[in-house]
Amino acid sequence: MNIAIGLLIIAIGAFCQSSSYVPINKIKSWSWESYWMVQGVFAWLVFPFLGLLLAIPPGHSLAELFAGVKALDVGMTILFGVLWGVGGLTFGLSMRYLGVALGQSISLGTCAGLGTILAPVMLNVFYPEAHHLEKLTAAVIIGVAVTLAGIAIIGMAGSMKSRSLSEQEKKSAVKDFNFPKGIAIALLAGFMSGCFNVGLEFGSSIHFEESADVFKTLPATFLVTLGGFLTNAVYCFYQNSKNHTWADYRKGGVWGNNLLFCMLAGILWYSQFFGLALGKGFLTESPVLTTFAFCILMALNVVFSNVWGIILKEWKGCSAKTIAVLVAGLVVLIVSSFLPQLLE
């Protein structure tokens, strides 16, 4: 029962994340770099910090939390957050050139596989005595392989879409659609985004023993998103200077509207990792699913992002064959979410 609850919580978080880009469409008169920066304040600082506070039991303080852990673990958690921030930037660009559905599919699929594999590998480099590679069981490897197979099928559907639609049809669905450029950016985004899970693993010891299992991942989540915020802030402020868009922040007439939708986008985005932390707390009886949880989250993100892609008519005009391939890929991803538990 606990496993079912854990998977449901992760699924809800995935749905929220996949919906986080919808509010952005309501933002008015701001350039990309301006609204990306403001929603990032909520997504990577405000809400993760509030989540961190839940992990501090009564009678303890924030200072105590970090005083009792290795500086190396804190530093590596933030560092991989900085690297993940590069993935976050290119992730946004992948959706610009491929759309919500295909952009998230390729980026998150790559992130799912590499994030799951890289975390134990990198930890084993620094702490070989802990035998982290033992987490990569046959069930986990097979689950990752099936996830990547599902992503490949969805990518095939995207390629079929690119070949079948006229330039006008492509632009009507996704304004800046560019399949070759988008694929390259999406793969880079996925590779760098996988660093998020590596950061979470390095920060897995940063918690109080008295904390409930469902909250123990939240301090590491904050440190990773803090690192990502630094990367995004540098880039967005650079773009503000380059594109002369500092004036966006002085447009008082749209601040109320834009702040509301940036905040909504931020809390929806953060919900995926809040859900991951809570969900893993219910998966402790299954080490395989605990290791595979990040991959499950990313796979479900892809499923729900394609649901939004259909709602937003990004697949409008595609042939029945293309839609059938897309649906087949989604089915494979759903199966991959439960497969490791069946093989355990």
Side-chain angles (χ1 to χ4, degrees):
M1 186 63 181
N2 280 348
I3 289 177
I5 294 173
L7 292 175
L8 177 61
I9 292 173
I10 292 174
I12 293 172
F15 176 76
C16 290
Q17 187 280 336
S18 300
S19 306
S20 65
Y21 295 92
V22 177
I24 287 178
N25 293 327
K26 301 292 186 179
I27 293 173
K28 302 175 181 178
S29 303
W30 276 3
S31 62
W32 177 88
E33 56 268 22
S34 300
Y35 73 66
W36 193 254
M37 183 69 242
V38 176
Q39 71 85 30
V41 170
F42 292 105
W44 309 318
L45 286 183
V46 175
F47 292 117
F49 182 74
L50 293 177
L52 162 66
L53 295 180
L54 292 175
I56 302 178
H60 293 280
S61 68
L62 190 61
E64 287 180 71
L65 175 65
F66 294 106
V69 298
K70 296 179 181 178
L72 174 63
D73 289 341
V74 174
M76 294 300 287
T77 303
I78 296 175
L79 172 61
F80 277 100
V82 169
L83 296 177
W84 161 75
V86 177
L89 286 170
T90 47
F91 182 67
L93 289 175
S94 72
M95 289 184 294
R96 175 181 176 181
Y97 295 118
L98 295 177
V100 173
L102 190 56
Q104 288 208 51
S105 296
I106 304 302
S107 300
L108 294 177
T110 308
C111 172
L114 290 177
T116 301
I117 300 296
L118 278 176
V121 170
M122 292 301 300
L123 281 168
N124 192 69
V125 171
F126 288 87
Y127 302 113
E129 70 280 359
H131 306 291
H132 287 286
L133 290 179
E134 293 180 0
K135 296 178 181 178
L136 297 178
T137 63
V140 171
I141 297 296
I142 292 172
V144 169
V146 174
T147 299
L148 294 179
I151 297 304
I153 294 171
I154 291 175
M156 186 186 306
S159 179
M160 293 167 66
K161 169 187 176 182
S162 178
R163 293 195 303 267
S164 65
L165 300 182
S166 66
E167 288 301 315
Q168 184 177 358
E169 288 173 321
K170 293 174 187 176
K171 300 299 182 182
S172 66
V174 182
K175 181 180 177 182
D176 298 317
F177 187 82
N178 186 319
F179 187 71
K181 186 175 183 178
I183 285 293
I185 292 174
L187 290 174
L188 173 63
F191 179 80
M192 299 304 292
S193 295
C195 292
F196 197 105
N197 195 44
V198 182
L200 288 182
E201 290 299 318
F202 268 103
S204 60
S205 64
I206 306 174
H207 60 77
F208 291 104
E209 289 302 319
E210 302 96 311
S211 295
D213 288 338
V214 294
F215 297 144
K216 285 184 177 179
T217 307
L218 295 176
T221 301
F222 170 73
L223 292 179
V224 176
T225 58
L226 172 63
F229 175 79
L230 296 176
T231 304
N232 281 267
V234 169
Y235 182 78
C236 288
F237 289 151
Y238 165 74
Q239 288 296 317
N240 281 138
S241 296
K242 177 184 175 182
N243 299 328
H244 307 290
T245 53
W246 288 108
D248 286 348
Y249 304 116
R250 297 194 296 271
K251 295 177 180 177
V254 298
W255 255 105
N257 176 84
N258 292 358
L259 193 66
L260 172 64
F261 286 109
C262 282
M263 181 172 64
L264 181 57
I267 193 170
L268 287 172
W269 184 92
Y270 174 64
S271 295
Q272 64 177 314
F273 293 112
F274 187 73
L276 178 65
L278 268 60
K280 288 177 73 172
F282 285 93
L283 300 179
T284 52
E285 61 190 67
S286 174
V288 168
L289 281 184
T290 301
T291 301
F292 195 63
F294 183 78
C295 196
I296 292 173
L297 174 65
M298 294 300 116
L300 291 176
N301 279 346
V302 172
V303 172
F304 291 124
S305 69
N306 276 280
V307 172
W308 274 114
I310 293 170
I311 294 173
L312 296 174
K313 299 181 179 180
E314 293 179 357
W315 294 91
K316 183 180 179 180
C318 293
S319 66
K321 183 178 180 180
T322 300
I323 299 300
V325 173
L326 171 65
V327 171
L330 295 178
V331 170
V332 171
L333 284 181
I334 293 172
V335 170
S336 74
S337 300
F338 304 98
L339 189 59
Q341 177 65 15
L342 299 176
L343 296 175
E344 189 176 5

mmCIF file of all heavy atoms in Angstrom, residues 130-172:
data_model
loop_
_atom_site.group_PDB
_atom_site.id
_atom_site.type_symbol
_atom_site.label_atom_id
_atom_site.label_comp_id
_atom_site.label_asym_id
_atom_site.label_seq_id
_atom_site.Cartn_x
_atom_site.Cartn_y
_atom_site.Cartn_z
ATOM 1 N N ALA A 130 31.288 2.846 0.307
ATOM 2 C CA ALA A 130 29.841 2.733 0.532
ATOM 3 C C ALA A 130 29.148 1.839 -0.504
ATOM 4 O O ALA A 130 27.950 1.561 -0.372
ATOM 5 C CB ALA A 130 29.198 4.119 0.522
ATOM 6 N N HIS A 131 29.886 1.403 -1.525
ATOM 7 C CA HIS A 131 29.369 0.464 -2.536
ATOM 8 C C HIS A 131 28.078 0.967 -3.195
ATOM 9 O O HIS A 131 27.092 0.248 -3.314
ATOM 10 C CB HIS A 131 29.116 -0.920 -1.914
ATOM 11 C CG HIS A 131 30.311 -1.485 -1.209
ATOM 12 N ND1 HIS A 131 31.449 -1.896 -1.876
ATOM 13 C CD2 HIS A 131 30.548 -1.691 0.122
ATOM 14 C CE1 HIS A 131 32.346 -2.342 -0.994
ATOM 15 N NE2 HIS A 131 31.823 -2.210 0.225
ATOM 16 N N HIS A 132 28.103 2.214 -3.639
ATOM 17 C CA HIS A 132 26.912 2.803 -4.254
ATOM 18 C C HIS A 132 26.526 2.118 -5.565
ATOM 19 O O HIS A 132 25.354 2.142 -5.960
ATOM 20 C CB HIS A 132 27.132 4.297 -4.495
ATOM 21 C CG HIS A 132 27.111 5.122 -3.243
ATOM 22 N ND1 HIS A 132 25.946 5.414 -2.574
ATOM 23 C CD2 HIS A 132 28.121 5.684 -2.524
ATOM 24 C CE1 HIS A 132 26.225 6.151 -1.506
ATOM 25 N NE2 HIS A 132 27.527 6.325 -1.452
ATOM 26 N N LEU A 133 27.493 1.527 -6.245
ATOM 27 C CA LEU A 133 27.180 0.874 -7.519
ATOM 28 C C LEU A 133 26.232 -0.308 -7.348
ATOM 29 O O LEU A 133 25.591 -0.741 -8.315
ATOM 30 C CB LEU A 133 28.470 0.416 -8.213
ATOM 31 C CG LEU A 133 29.368 1.526 -8.771
ATOM 32 C CD1 LEU A 133 30.610 0.932 -9.410
ATOM 33 C CD2 LEU A 133 28.616 2.385 -9.770
ATOM 34 N N GLU A 134 26.147 -0.835 -6.122
ATOM 35 C CA GLU A 134 25.227 -1.950 -5.875
ATOM 36 C C GLU A 134 23.769 -1.535 -6.054
ATOM 37 O O GLU A 134 22.886 -2.390 -6.206
ATOM 38 C CB GLU A 134 25.450 -2.496 -4.458
ATOM 39 C CG GLU A 134 26.808 -3.172 -4.280
ATOM 40 C CD GLU A 134 27.017 -3.696 -2.869
ATOM 41 O OE1 GLU A 134 26.091 -3.532 -2.036
ATOM 42 O OE2 GLU A 134 28.088 -4.263 -2.598
ATOM 43 N N LYS A 135 23.519 -0.217 -6.044
ATOM 44 C CA LYS A 135 22.152 0.263 -6.269
ATOM 45 C C LYS A 135 21.700 0.035 -7.715
ATOM 46 O O LYS A 135 20.509 -0.029 -7.990
ATOM 47 C CB LYS A 135 22.056 1.760 -5.952
ATOM 48 C CG LYS A 135 22.324 2.115 -4.492
ATOM 49 C CD LYS A 135 22.247 3.620 -4.289
ATOM 50 C CE LYS A 135 22.524 4.013 -2.844
ATOM 51 N NZ LYS A 135 22.502 5.486 -2.658
ATOM 52 N N LEU A 136 22.672 -0.078 -8.615
ATOM 53 C CA LEU A 136 22.336 -0.265 -10.034
ATOM 54 C C LEU A 136 22.095 -1.744 -10.312
ATOM 55 O O LEU A 136 22.867 -2.422 -10.994
ATOM 56 C CB LEU A 136 23.463 0.287 -10.921
ATOM 57 C CG LEU A 136 23.716 1.793 -10.811
ATOM 58 C CD1 LEU A 136 24.872 2.210 -11.701
ATOM 59 C CD2 LEU A 136 22.446 2.557 -11.175
ATOM 60 N N THR A 137 21.012 -2.250 -9.793
ATOM 61 C CA THR A 137 20.646 -3.651 -9.986
ATOM 62 C C THR A 137 20.139 -3.870 -11.408
ATOM 63 O O THR A 137 19.892 -2.916 -12.157
ATOM 64 C CB THR A 137 19.545 -4.052 -8.989
ATOM 65 O OG1 THR A 137 18.376 -3.263 -9.257
ATOM 66 C CG2 THR A 137 19.993 -3.822 -7.553
ATOM 67 N N ALA A 138 19.974 -5.131 -11.763
ATOM 68 C CA ALA A 138 19.467 -5.459 -13.096
ATOM 69 C C ALA A 138 18.098 -4.835 -13.327
ATOM 70 O O ALA A 138 17.800 -4.337 -14.425
ATOM 71 C CB ALA A 138 19.395 -6.981 -13.265
ATOM 72 N N ALA A 139 17.254 -4.830 -12.296
ATOM 73 C CA ALA A 139 15.913 -4.258 -12.429
ATOM 74 C C ALA A 139 15.980 -2.765 -12.735
ATOM 75 O O ALA A 139 15.215 -2.252 -13.560
ATOM 76 C CB ALA A 139 15.110 -4.501 -11.147
ATOM 77 N N VAL A 140 16.896 -2.057 -12.080
ATOM 78 C CA VAL A 140 17.044 -0.622 -12.320
ATOM 79 C C VAL A 140 17.555 -0.365 -13.734
ATOM 80 O O VAL A 140 17.031 0.497 -14.464
ATOM 81 C CB VAL A 140 18.007 0.009 -11.291
ATOM 82 C CG1 VAL A 140 18.338 1.451 -11.680
ATOM 83 C CG2 VAL A 140 17.388 -0.023 -9.896
ATOM 84 N N ILE A 141 18.575 -1.117 -14.154
ATOM 85 C CA ILE A 141 19.144 -0.938 -15.495
ATOM 86 C C ILE A 141 18.099 -1.221 -16.568
ATOM 87 O O ILE A 141 17.972 -0.476 -17.547
ATOM 88 C CB ILE A 141 20.361 -1.860 -15.696
ATOM 89 C CG1 ILE A 141 21.475 -1.502 -14.702
ATOM 90 C CG2 ILE A 141 20.868 -1.767 -17.127
ATOM 91 C CD1 ILE A 141 22.038 -0.115 -14.897
ATOM 92 N N ILE A 142 17.340 -2.290 -16.391
ATOM 93 C CA ILE A 142 16.284 -2.620 -17.365
ATOM 94 C C ILE A 142 15.234 -1.514 -17.399
ATOM 95 O O ILE A 142 14.763 -1.112 -18.467
ATOM 96 C CB ILE A 142 15.641 -3.982 -17.027
ATOM 97 C CG1 ILE A 142 16.646 -5.115 -17.255
ATOM 98 C CG2 ILE A 142 14.389 -4.218 -17.889
ATOM 99 C CD1 ILE A 142 16.164 -6.467 -16.773
ATOM 100 N N GLY A 143 14.859 -1.008 -16.222
ATOM 101 C CA GLY A 143 13.878 0.075 -16.157
ATOM 102 C C GLY A 143 14.352 1.315 -16.907
ATOM 103 O O GLY A 143 13.591 1.943 -17.648
ATOM 104 N N VAL A 144 15.634 1.661 -16.723
ATOM 105 C CA VAL A 144 16.207 2.816 -17.436
ATOM 106 C C VAL A 144 16.198 2.570 -18.941
ATOM 107 O O VAL A 144 15.840 3.454 -19.730
ATOM 108 C CB VAL A 144 17.643 3.098 -16.945
ATOM 109 C CG1 VAL A 144 18.331 4.107 -17.864
ATOM 110 C CG2 VAL A 144 17.626 3.615 -15.511
ATOM 111 N N ALA A 145 16.575 1.347 -19.353
ATOM 112 C CA ALA A 145 16.611 1.014 -20.781
ATOM 113 C C ALA A 145 15.225 1.131 -21.413
ATOM 114 O O ALA A 145 15.074 1.657 -22.528
ATOM 115 C CB ALA A 145 17.166 -0.393 -20.974
ATOM 116 N N VAL A 146 14.213 0.650 -20.700
ATOM 117 C CA VAL A 146 12.842 0.728 -21.221
ATOM 118 C C VAL A 146 12.384 2.189 -21.287
ATOM 119 O O VAL A 146 11.713 2.602 -22.242
ATOM 120 C CB VAL A 146 11.877 -0.112 -20.356
ATOM 121 C CG1 VAL A 146 10.437 0.084 -20.806
ATOM 122 C CG2 VAL A 146 12.248 -1.592 -20.439
ATOM 123 N N THR A 147 12.769 2.991 -20.283
ATOM 124 C CA THR A 147 12.440 4.413 -20.309
ATOM 125 C C THR A 147 13.046 5.085 -21.535
ATOM 126 O O THR A 147 12.373 5.842 -22.250
ATOM 127 C CB THR A 147 12.950 5.117 -19.036
ATOM 128 O OG1 THR A 147 12.322 4.535 -17.893
ATOM 129 C CG2 THR A 147 12.653 6.614 -19.075
ATOM 130 N N LEU A 148 14.324 4.812 -21.787
ATOM 131 C CA LEU A 148 14.987 5.409 -22.944
ATOM 132 C C LEU A 148 14.368 4.923 -24.249
ATOM 133 O O LEU A 148 14.298 5.676 -25.234
ATOM 134 C CB LEU A 148 16.478 5.092 -22.906
ATOM 135 C CG LEU A 148 17.262 5.732 -21.744
ATOM 136 C CD1 LEU A 148 18.721 5.316 -21.799
ATOM 137 C CD2 LEU A 148 17.141 7.245 -21.789
ATOM 138 N N ALA A 149 13.908 3.675 -24.258
ATOM 139 C CA ALA A 149 13.230 3.156 -25.453
ATOM 140 C C ALA A 149 11.941 3.938 -25.711
ATOM 141 O O ALA A 149 11.621 4.294 -26.855
ATOM 142 C CB ALA A 149 12.926 1.672 -25.285
ATOM 143 N N GLY A 150 11.198 4.223 -24.637
ATOM 144 C CA GLY A 150 9.983 5.013 -24.776
ATOM 145 C C GLY A 150 10.270 6.409 -25.302
ATOM 146 O O GLY A 150 9.544 6.926 -26.163
ATOM 147 N N ILE A 151 11.364 7.021 -24.803
ATOM 148 C CA ILE A 151 11.755 8.346 -25.273
ATOM 149 C C ILE A 151 12.136 8.302 -26.744
ATOM 150 O O ILE A 151 11.796 9.202 -27.528
ATOM 151 C CB ILE A 151 12.932 8.883 -24.442
ATOM 152 C CG1 ILE A 151 12.512 9.063 -22.987
ATOM 153 C CG2 ILE A 151 13.437 10.200 -25.015
ATOM 154 C CD1 ILE A 151 11.323 9.953 -22.780
ATOM 155 N N ALA A 152 12.853 7.242 -27.139
ATOM 156 C CA ALA A 152 13.255 7.105 -28.542
ATOM 157 C C ALA A 152 12.033 7.006 -29.455
ATOM 158 O O ALA A 152 12.010 7.587 -30.547
ATOM 159 C CB ALA A 152 14.148 5.875 -28.710
ATOM 160 N N ILE A 153 11.019 6.292 -28.998
ATOM 161 C CA ILE A 153 9.788 6.152 -29.803
ATOM 162 C C ILE A 153 9.096 7.514 -29.941
ATOM 163 O O ILE A 153 8.635 7.881 -31.027
ATOM 164 C CB ILE A 153 8.840 5.121 -29.156
ATOM 165 C CG1 ILE A 153 9.474 3.723 -29.196
ATOM 166 C CG2 ILE A 153 7.494 5.106 -29.881
ATOM 167 C CD1 ILE A 153 8.711 2.684 -28.400
ATOM 168 N N ILE A 154 9.058 8.279 -28.849
ATOM 169 C CA ILE A 154 8.450 9.608 -28.908
ATOM 170 C C ILE A 154 9.267 10.521 -29.817
ATOM 171 O O ILE A 154 8.723 11.329 -30.585
ATOM 172 C CB ILE A 154 8.322 10.201 -27.494
ATOM 173 C CG1 ILE A 154 7.279 9.428 -26.700
ATOM 174 C CG2 ILE A 154 7.943 11.678 -27.555
ATOM 175 C CD1 ILE A 154 7.155 9.844 -25.260
ATOM 176 N N GLY A 155 10.596 10.382 -29.743
ATOM 177 C CA GLY A 155 11.456 11.151 -30.636
ATOM 178 C C GLY A 155 11.197 10.806 -32.093
ATOM 179 O O GLY A 155 11.231 11.672 -32.977
ATOM 180 N N MET A 156 10.903 9.540 -32.353
ATOM 181 C CA MET A 156 10.564 9.110 -33.708
ATOM 182 C C MET A 156 9.271 9.781 -34.165
ATOM 183 O O MET A 156 9.148 10.234 -35.315
ATOM 184 C CB MET A 156 10.403 7.585 -33.737
ATOM 185 C CG MET A 156 10.192 7.001 -35.128
ATOM 186 S SD MET A 156 9.846 5.223 -35.052
ATOM 187 C CE MET A 156 11.249 4.634 -34.103
ATOM 188 N N ALA A 157 8.307 9.860 -33.235
ATOM 189 C CA ALA A 157 7.057 10.550 -33.567
ATOM 190 C C ALA A 157 7.326 12.012 -33.891
ATOM 191 O O ALA A 157 6.729 12.579 -34.816
ATOM 192 C CB ALA A 157 6.071 10.430 -32.414
ATOM 193 N N GLY A 158 8.237 12.627 -33.149
ATOM 194 C CA GLY A 158 8.588 14.016 -33.408
ATOM 195 C C GLY A 158 9.232 14.197 -34.769
ATOM 196 O O GLY A 158 8.956 15.172 -35.483
ATOM 197 N N SER A 159 10.090 13.252 -35.139
ATOM 198 C CA SER A 159 10.722 13.301 -36.455
ATOM 199 C C SER A 159 9.686 13.146 -37.563
ATOM 200 O O SER A 159 9.732 13.834 -38.589
ATOM 201 C CB SER A 159 11.782 12.199 -36.561
ATOM 202 O OG SER A 159 12.396 12.203 -37.833
ATOM 203 N N MET A 160 8.731 12.244 -37.353
ATOM 204 C CA MET A 160 7.662 12.050 -38.333
ATOM 205 C C MET A 160 6.824 13.323 -38.463
ATOM 206 O O MET A 160 6.411 13.711 -39.564
ATOM 207 C CB MET A 160 6.781 10.870 -37.911
ATOM 208 C CG MET A 160 7.487 9.523 -37.971
ATOM 209 S SD MET A 160 6.578 8.185 -37.137
ATOM 210 C CE MET A 160 5.117 8.064 -38.195
ATOM 211 N N LYS A 161 6.587 13.978 -37.326
ATOM 212 C CA LYS A 161 5.849 15.236 -37.336
ATOM 213 C C LYS A 161 6.595 16.282 -38.146
ATOM 214 O O LYS A 161 5.997 16.993 -38.971
ATOM 215 C CB LYS A 161 5.650 15.725 -35.894
ATOM 216 C CG LYS A 161 5.117 17.153 -35.784
ATOM 217 C CD LYS A 161 5.125 17.615 -34.331
ATOM 218 C CE LYS A 161 4.680 19.065 -34.218
ATOM 219 N NZ LYS A 161 4.726 19.543 -32.826
ATOM 220 N N SER A 162 7.910 16.356 -37.933
ATOM 221 C CA SER A 162 8.721 17.344 -38.627
ATOM 222 C C SER A 162 8.679 17.151 -40.141
ATOM 223 O O SER A 162 8.625 18.116 -40.906
ATOM 224 C CB SER A 162 10.170 17.264 -38.129
ATOM 225 O OG SER A 162 10.991 18.180 -38.815
ATOM 226 N N ARG A 163 8.692 15.893 -40.579
ATOM 227 C CA ARG A 163 8.714 15.606 -42.010
ATOM 228 C C ARG A 163 7.351 15.794 -42.670
ATOM 229 O O ARG A 163 7.263 16.103 -43.855
ATOM 230 C CB ARG A 163 9.204 14.173 -42.252
ATOM 231 C CG ARG A 163 10.660 13.942 -41.875
ATOM 232 C CD ARG A 163 11.151 12.635 -42.478
ATOM 233 N NE ARG A 163 10.332 11.499 -42.070
ATOM 234 C CZ ARG A 163 10.585 10.710 -41.030
ATOM 235 N NH1 ARG A 163 11.645 10.977 -40.277
ATOM 236 N NH2 ARG A 163 9.800 9.701 -40.737
ATOM 237 N N SER A 164 6.279 15.588 -41.897
ATOM 238 C CA SER A 164 4.949 15.566 -42.509
ATOM 239 C C SER A 164 4.267 16.921 -42.598
ATOM 240 O O SER A 164 3.393 17.130 -43.441
ATOM 241 C CB SER A 164 4.033 14.606 -41.730
ATOM 242 O OG SER A 164 3.809 15.086 -40.413
ATOM 243 N N LEU A 165 4.664 17.858 -41.737
ATOM 244 C CA LEU A 165 3.981 19.151 -41.716
ATOM 245 C C LEU A 165 4.692 20.175 -42.592
ATOM 246 O O LEU A 165 5.915 20.158 -42.733
ATOM 247 C CB LEU A 165 3.905 19.685 -40.286
ATOM 248 C CG LEU A 165 3.152 18.830 -39.254
ATOM 249 C CD1 LEU A 165 3.151 19.543 -37.903
ATOM 250 C CD2 LEU A 165 1.736 18.545 -39.713
ATOM 251 N N SER A 166 3.918 21.073 -43.141
ATOM 252 C CA SER A 166 4.499 22.188 -43.884
ATOM 253 C C SER A 166 5.101 23.174 -42.891
ATOM 254 O O SER A 166 4.813 23.136 -41.693
ATOM 255 C CB SER A 166 3.416 22.888 -44.709
ATOM 256 O OG SER A 166 2.470 23.517 -43.840
ATOM 257 N N GLU A 167 5.946 24.073 -43.395
ATOM 258 C CA GLU A 167 6.558 25.064 -42.519
ATOM 259 C C GLU A 167 5.498 25.920 -41.828
ATOM 260 O O GLU A 167 5.627 26.265 -40.667
ATOM 261 C CB GLU A 167 7.515 25.950 -43.325
ATOM 262 C CG GLU A 167 8.800 25.257 -43.747
ATOM 263 C CD GLU A 167 9.602 24.750 -42.554
ATOM 264 O OE1 GLU A 167 9.746 25.497 -41.572
ATOM 265 O OE2 GLU A 167 10.071 23.596 -42.615
ATOM 266 N N GLN A 168 4.445 26.230 -42.550
ATOM 267 C CA GLN A 168 3.376 27.045 -41.962
ATOM 268 C C GLN A 168 2.669 26.322 -40.831
ATOM 269 O O GLN A 168 2.369 26.900 -39.785
ATOM 270 C CB GLN A 168 2.359 27.427 -43.045
ATOM 271 C CG GLN A 168 1.254 28.357 -42.529
ATOM 272 C CD GLN A 168 0.306 28.776 -43.634
ATOM 273 O OE1 GLN A 168 0.488 28.414 -44.794
ATOM 274 N NE2 GLN A 168 -0.715 29.543 -43.270
ATOM 275 N N GLU A 169 2.437 25.009 -41.020
ATOM 276 C CA GLU A 169 1.782 24.211 -39.984
ATOM 277 C C GLU A 169 2.672 24.076 -38.758
ATOM 278 O O GLU A 169 2.198 24.108 -37.623
ATOM 279 C CB GLU A 169 1.421 22.832 -40.532
ATOM 280 C CG GLU A 169 0.265 22.860 -41.521
ATOM 281 C CD GLU A 169 0.041 21.501 -42.179
ATOM 282 O OE1 GLU A 169 1.042 20.812 -42.492
ATOM 283 O OE2 GLU A 169 -1.121 21.137 -42.383
ATOM 284 N N LYS A 170 3.983 23.904 -38.982
ATOM 285 C CA LYS A 170 4.922 23.805 -37.864
ATOM 286 C C LYS A 170 4.912 25.093 -37.034
ATOM 287 O O LYS A 170 4.867 25.065 -35.804
ATOM 288 C CB LYS A 170 6.338 23.536 -38.375
ATOM 289 C CG LYS A 170 6.544 22.193 -39.035
ATOM 290 C CD LYS A 170 7.937 22.107 -39.621
ATOM 291 C CE LYS A 170 8.136 20.843 -40.435
ATOM 292 N NZ LYS A 170 9.458 20.806 -41.084
ATOM 293 N N LYS A 171 4.946 26.217 -37.730
ATOM 294 C CA LYS A 171 4.996 27.499 -37.040
ATOM 295 C C LYS A 171 3.697 27.803 -36.301
ATOM 296 O O LYS A 171 3.705 28.459 -35.256
ATOM 297 C CB LYS A 171 5.294 28.620 -38.038
ATOM 298 C CG LYS A 171 6.617 28.472 -38.785
ATOM 299 C CD LYS A 171 7.814 28.465 -37.857
ATOM 300 C CE LYS A 171 9.118 28.371 -38.628
ATOM 301 N NZ LYS A 171 10.296 28.311 -37.734
ATOM 302 N N SER A 172 2.578 27.320 -36.832
ATOM 303 C CA SER A 172 1.303 27.575 -36.163
ATOM 304 C C SER A 172 1.202 26.815 -34.850
ATOM 305 O O SER A 172 0.556 27.267 -33.901
ATOM 306 C CB SER A 172 0.141 27.195 -37.080
ATOM 307 O OG SER A 172 0.115 25.802 -37.308
#
